[in-house]
Amino acid sequence: MHVHEDGDDKVVGRRRFLVGGLVGAGVIAAAGAGLIGLGGNAQAVVLEEFDELYKGRRIKGWAVARGANPQSEVTVDGDALHIMSNGDGTYTTSVNHYESFDSLRSAARRAVETLGDLRPESPPTHHGH
Amino acid sequence: MALIRKNQANLTAAERSSFVNAVLALKASGRYDPFVRLHIDRGNGDSDFSTRIGHRSPSFLPWHRKYLIEFETALQSVDPSVTLPYWDWTTAGSTSSLWANDFMGPNGTSTTNWRVNVGPFAFSTGNWTLTVRSDSANFLRRNIGAGGLRLPTAAEVTSVLGLTTYDTSPWNSTSTNSFRNYLEGFRGPNLHNRVHNWINGTMAGFGSPNDPVFWLHHCNVDRLWSQWQARNPGGTYVPAAGTVDVVDIDEAMNPWPTTPRDMLNHSSVYTYQ
């Protein structure tokens, strides 16, 4: 997936900045999409963005639609939580790998409930989605 | 001669002990953790939108059949008397001897963030430290029945076994009227996925094989597939050929050269008692 060709930190940082700045508009025009590497003529639509304290943990996340497969990031106290987008628009995480959630926020909240005081750890490899 | 896989509820005390000791021996020799690594890597790579092999796809069942055979072969190298037991969730719940201190060990405790504190796989034994994982817990966790979840019932299992089509397009977690997807649990009454969630803790995440009950759970999933195959001799694995991102019947299932067709008849390798 081309969004992972750069160093993850840099890409995530740029996207978070841009998405954060445009979330009120709801839609990122093609020119903006190009800046964050979404490419082509596709319009990227902000599906969700949140930043909240839940059960004592800081959860932040965003999801942007680009074609069928949304791009998304979630962190729990700054640690990346691995997110999968499902074919019906729901989300699954590495902490609750056998559950689907209607929103990224509910996926993040459920991960916090399951983790307790633990941290998510990112897999060393990332391929396919 | 084919191995015989038994219901865990019918194992003798000696058989329970042999199974536990063989699992602990694999862990001690470093041969257990690569199985966890394999599952995490496969799960991480399976997507509704791209390649999907181990989960959310037709090859969910033959991939895990191969995975279980590999693990059973490893157990056999330690103790040739050991085979994989299966856990019938419709008859063995939270009070089952499955969770006794001489077998899988009990539920975790809330005061220790659901750490399992006794039994052969408790962290305190020094024999069961989680090193390959998707969260910071180096100890086994269970939060059985979290959120009021219940195990699948016999009626729910029967309803899924009654589906006559192995799988349907688009061959992922959204497939409807698909025996595979309803057994996996993304649609229908939710069988396999729900059992992972019912145990919760370690079993809820990518690193679920870190809980040895994973093998008994998946052995039951495999047994149900075997029952379905017997009831549907004409309902073979699909898709047959040319399917993007999905393993067709004669294509290899990463990381093995094994194809779904290779896994259809297990009777020369093992049978269910």
Side-chain angles (χ1 to χ4, degrees):
Chain A
M1 296 294 287
H2 63 271
V3 294
H4 293 103
E5 287 171 3
D6 294 320
D8 271 352
D9 290 344
K10 187 172 67 174
V11 174
V12 168
R14 276 188 291 159
R15 284 187 292 182
R16 184 167 293 145
F17 170 77
L18 192 66
V19 170
L22 292 173
V23 69
V27 175
I28 300 170
L35 276 177
I36 55 172
L38 296 176
N41 298 318
Q43 287 202 328
V45 179
V46 177
L47 299 172
E48 193 176 343
E49 186 181 43
F50 61 90
D51 180 349
E52 69 176 21
L53 202 62
Y54 182 71
K55 292 185 183 291
R57 310 294 295 268
R58 181 80 177 270
I59 53 174
K60 299 167 83 168
W62 56 263
V64 175
R66 179 188 60 88
N69 188 0
Q71 296 171 2
S72 55
E73 303 277 352
V74 170
T75 56
V76 178
D77 290 338
D79 292 313
L81 176 67
H82 184 77
I83 302 289
M84 294 179 112
S85 294
N86 301 323
D88 57 4
T90 62
Y91 301 94
T92 293
T93 76
S94 57
V95 172
N96 301 100
H97 192 44
Y98 304 92
E99 274 185 87
S100 300
F101 301 90
D102 289 340
S103 72
L104 211 53
R105 184 196 300 257
S106 59
R109 286 178 170 182
R110 183 80 175 110
V112 165
E113 292 166 2
T114 303
L115 286 167
D117 59 5
L118 301 169
R119 288 178 291 105
E121 290 185 357
S122 296
T125 58
H126 190 120
H127 36 198
H129 58 94
Chain B
M1 198 178 72
L3 303 176
I4 297 173
R5 294 181 177 177
K6 302 174 183 175
N7 188 327
Q8 60 80 25
N10 298 331
L11 297 185
T12 65
E15 286 171 330
R16 291 158 69 90
S17 174
S18 295
F19 180 77
V20 167
N21 288 337
V23 171
L24 290 174
L26 289 181
K27 180 74 170 176
S29 67
R31 295 172 66 195
Y32 192 93
D33 290 351
F35 282 98
V36 185
R37 172 88 276 146
L38 174 56
H39 191 265
I40 290 177
D41 286 349
R42 193 58 270 147
N44 186 28
D46 292 330
S47 167
D48 280 351
F49 299 99
S50 56
T51 307
R52 46 192 181 276
I53 300 173
H55 304 85
R56 56 180 68 231
S57 62
S59 46
F60 165 70
L61 292 171
W63 190 93
H64 280 86
R65 179 168 282 178
K66 174 64 175 173
Y67 187 49
L68 263 59
I69 290 172
E70 292 286 309
F71 186 69
E72 190 170 48
T73 300
L75 292 173
Q76 289 248 310
S77 73
V78 175
D79 181 347
S81 77
V82 171
T83 65
L84 285 181
Y86 64 87
W87 167 29
D88 181 353
W89 344 285
T90 66
T91 55
S94 61
T95 60
S96 167
S97 58
L98 173 65
W99 311 109
N101 288 348
D102 70 332
F103 202 38
M104 293 297 104
N107 196 12
T109 56
S110 61
T111 52
T112 58
N113 196 12
W114 304 107
R115 186 171 63 207
V116 173
N117 292 308
V118 289
F121 305 105
F123 179 78
S124 56
T125 63
N127 298 325
W128 204 256
T129 301
L130 310 190
T131 56
V132 179
R133 56 194 201 229
S134 56
D135 60 44
S136 58
N138 60 0
F139 49 90
L140 178 65
R141 301 169 71 225
R142 294 183 187 131
N143 181 5
I144 290 176
L149 213 56
R150 292 176 183 276
L151 286 172
T153 65
E156 288 169 333
V157 169
T158 299
S159 75
V160 172
L161 286 174
L163 295 170
T164 54
T165 302
Y166 177 78
D167 210 345
T168 59
S169 178
W171 321 108
N172 63 18
S173 75
T174 70
S175 294
T176 55
N177 296 314
S178 147
F179 167 71
R180 184 277 309 168
N181 200 31
Y182 286 43
L183 177 54
E184 188 170 7
F186 290 104
R187 290 292 181 270
N190 185 357
L191 301 183
H192 152 267
N193 285 348
R194 187 181 0 158
V195 177
H196 277 274
N197 299 332
W198 182 80
I199 298 171
N200 213 264
T202 305
M203 272 288 272
F206 264 164
S208 50
N210 275 316
D211 190 335
V213 82
F214 172 96
W215 306 104
L216 285 70
H217 170 41
H218 268 275
C219 194
N220 195 47
V221 172
D222 187 74
R223 184 180 69 101
L224 294 175
W225 181 30
S226 183
Q227 288 182 0
W228 184 88
Q229 289 182 291
R231 289 167 58 151
N232 296 276
T236 192
Y237 181 97
V238 282
T243 316
V244 174
D245 293 334
V246 170
V247 179
D248 295 317
I249 191 169
D250 291 314
E251 290 180 336
M253 299 183 291
N254 179 280
W256 309 290
T258 310
T259 67
R261 192 187 300 280
D262 294 335
M263 290 289 100
L264 293 182
N265 186 350
H266 62 75
S267 61
S268 66
V269 184
Y270 61 85
T271 59
Y272 285 106
Q273 187 178 81

